[in-house]
């Protein structure tokens, strides 16, 4: 076991876990932040996407010992009221079907828009590649990202 102090959604949290424990399980089982989903467990589906210093990463394959003092943002920390432009666009475009992949999709989209506030289709496809939606809502995801980009530009 090892003691770790993690900055998650702007708040310092202390956990005592095996250093090899994926941050996904630290979030879900030790800190009760269950918005980040377990999908495949091998970083192939994107359901577990979180931000590490603003960059999208797969939480299922990232050991807690590799975090250091970097900032973690989960879907719970993206916005307090669920009013991040991407979250609002997701609702406006009725993106979610079963909803299982949506937290990871939203986190990947938010990271994209932070780096590229006006992405074209190719940029969206490249950034979202690897975030799998078993319901096949990819066209709505793309439209929601474009809507969120417009909303962000308008302020």
């Amino acid at each position: 076991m090892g003691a770790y102090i993690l900055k998650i959604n702007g708040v310092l949290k202390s956990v005592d876990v095996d250093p090899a424990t994926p941050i996904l399980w630290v979030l879900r089982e030790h800190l009760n932040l269950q918005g980040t989903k377990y999908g495949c467990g091998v970083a192939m589906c994107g359901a577990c996407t979180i931000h590490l210093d603003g960059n999208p990463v797969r939480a299922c394959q990232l050991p807690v010992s590799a975090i250091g003092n970097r900032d973690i943002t989960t879907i719970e920390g993206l916005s307090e009221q669920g009013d991040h432009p991407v979250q609002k666009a997701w609702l406006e475009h009725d993106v979610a079907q079963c909803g299982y992949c949506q937290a990871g999709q939203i986190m990947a989209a938010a990271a994209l828009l932070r780096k590229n506030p006006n992405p074209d289709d190719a940029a969206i496809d490249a950034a979202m590649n690897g975030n799998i939606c078993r319901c096949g809502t990819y066209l709505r995801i793309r439209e929601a990202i474009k809507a969120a980009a417009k909303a962000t530009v308008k302020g």
Side-chain angles (χ1 to χ4, degrees), residues 72-145:
I72 296 170
T73 304
T74 68
I75 191 71
E76 293 92 344
L78 195 59
S79 66
E80 289 186 22
Q81 304 297 321
D83 58 356
H84 185 280
V86 173
Q87 292 171 307
K88 291 168 68 174
W90 240 245
L91 292 174
E92 291 168 8
H93 288 269
D94 202 22
V95 172
Q97 292 293 302
C98 79
Y100 199 82
C101 69
Q102 298 307 299
Q105 300 273 4
I106 289 169
M107 294 303 286
L112 165 64
L113 293 178
R114 186 176 19 260
K115 292 184 177 174
N116 181 353
N118 190 22
D120 60 16
D121 286 348
I124 292 171
D125 292 348
M128 301 304 290
N129 187 24
N131 281 78
I132 297 171
C133 174
R134 64 185 178 190
C135 301
T137 62
Y138 298 109
L139 295 177
R140 284 189 264 177
I141 288 170
R142 187 187 294 160
E143 293 308 311
I145 292 171

Side-chain angles (χ1 to χ4, degrees), residues 18-73:
D18 185 297
T21 306
I23 192 67
L24 172 65
W25 299 119
V26 173
L27 295 169
R28 289 186 58 81
E29 295 187 355
H30 297 274
L31 300 173
N32 201 30
L33 293 168
Q34 298 184 346
T36 305
K37 303 298 183 197
Y38 173 79
C40 65
V42 293
M44 296 297 291
C45 75
C48 65
T49 302
I50 61 171
H51 294 173
L52 189 62
D53 279 346
N55 297 308
V57 297
R58 305 296 199 247
C60 70
Q61 290 291 302
L62 182 64
V64 66
S65 59
I67 302 292
N69 62 0
R70 294 180 283 178
D71 291 343
I72 296 170
T73 304

